[in-house]
Amino acid sequence: DHTAKLTGGSTAAGAIKAAAVSGGMAFVDGTKESTVTLKTAQYLKDMLLEEGYDVLMLRDGEDVQLDNVARTVICNNCADCNIAIHFDGDGLTYDKGCFYMSTPDGLKDKEPVASTWQKSEELGKSLIQGLSDKGCKIKKTPNMVIDLTQTSYSMVPSIDIELGNQCSDHSDAALKKLAEGLSAGINQYFAK
């Protein structure tokens, strides 16, 4: 919409254009982030279905190319919340742990952010608590303020959760543990 971005990220602060779909990062062993996040989301989906939730997967295969605007529109029309699962491509040589993205102050008084940012923050805190309760590593500062399409235009609580970085364990056991933590956080948020 030609509104300048407030913070950095994959697109610099002040930018009004960005790549529609990011290729994501690769783990130190070469595994693609998209492969790991899909597997994590599938574990989480199975757990949530067992809990009685309805689950909408915005990506259920390797070749889905929905940009963040399309994902946000779908969630605005079909979901009670939006959780985007990621691992950070920060270039560090150690696993810094899980964290979520918070809304910049400069957006908190603009709609639709004004109506959703507090619920999004509660969702992020609940997810971090669930992950912590399951013994997952949490970043020293468990949130990062960043201007994201999905939170800037979301009309439902929306969180980008980073489950570590390119140095994180992404074995099946580790991903199941992360999914258990996310499921616990979702239950806490919806008070199930």
Side-chain angles (χ1 to χ4, degrees):
D1 71 352
H2 301 285
T3 302
K5 194 169 176 186
L6 298 178
T7 64
S10 58
T11 305
I16 58 170
K17 293 183 179 181
V21 179
S22 168
M25 62 86 173
F27 287 82
V28 293
D29 67 358
T31 304
K32 292 178 5 182
E33 176 189 15
S34 60
T35 300
V36 174
T37 57
L38 178 60
K39 187 178 271 192
T40 306
Q42 289 168 332
Y43 288 140
L44 177 59
K45 176 187 83 169
D46 291 344
M47 291 173 192
L48 293 176
L49 289 172
E50 285 181 24
E51 297 266 350
Y53 290 97
D54 292 324
V55 178
L56 170 65
M57 296 279 288
L58 294 178
R59 182 169 75 93
D60 61 1
E62 290 293 331
D63 295 327
V64 177
Q65 293 294 314
L66 288 175
D67 68 24
N68 288 333
V69 173
R71 293 170 192 242
T72 302
V73 169
I74 291 168
C75 289
N76 284 346
N77 288 287
C78 300
D80 293 323
C81 72
N82 175 22
I83 300 169
I85 297 172
H86 293 279
F87 286 81
D88 199 11
D90 53 20
L92 296 175
T93 57
Y94 60 91
D95 178 2
K96 68 180 172 187
C98 303
F99 63 100
Y100 68 95
M101 303 301 188
S102 290
T103 304
D105 288 341
L107 294 175
K108 291 179 179 176
D109 62 348
K110 298 176 182 164
E111 289 297 343
V113 178
S115 297
T116 60
W117 76 266
Q118 289 173 319
K119 291 177 183 175
S120 294
E121 188 71 16
E122 289 172 22
L123 177 58
K125 288 178 180 178
S126 293
L127 294 175
I128 291 296
Q129 186 62 56
L131 289 161
S132 178
D133 290 348
K134 295 296 180 182
C136 299
K137 183 175 183 175
I138 305 301
K139 185 176 177 268
K140 183 177 179 182
T141 305
N143 66 308
M144 176 186 291
V145 176
I146 194 162
D147 184 355
L148 297 172
T149 301
Q150 73 192 45
T151 50
S152 297
Y153 298 99
S154 185
M155 295 185 293
V156 297
S158 180
I159 281 297
D160 181 313
I161 185 96
E162 303 279 342
L163 297 176
N165 60 8
Q166 70 275 358
C167 295
S168 298
D169 180 0
H170 53 280
S171 65
D172 286 346
L175 299 183
K176 287 178 184 175
K177 182 177 176 180
L178 290 166
E180 289 171 359
L182 292 171
S183 178
I186 291 166
N187 283 335
Q188 178 182 323
Y189 179 76
F190 288 107
K192 255 192 160 182

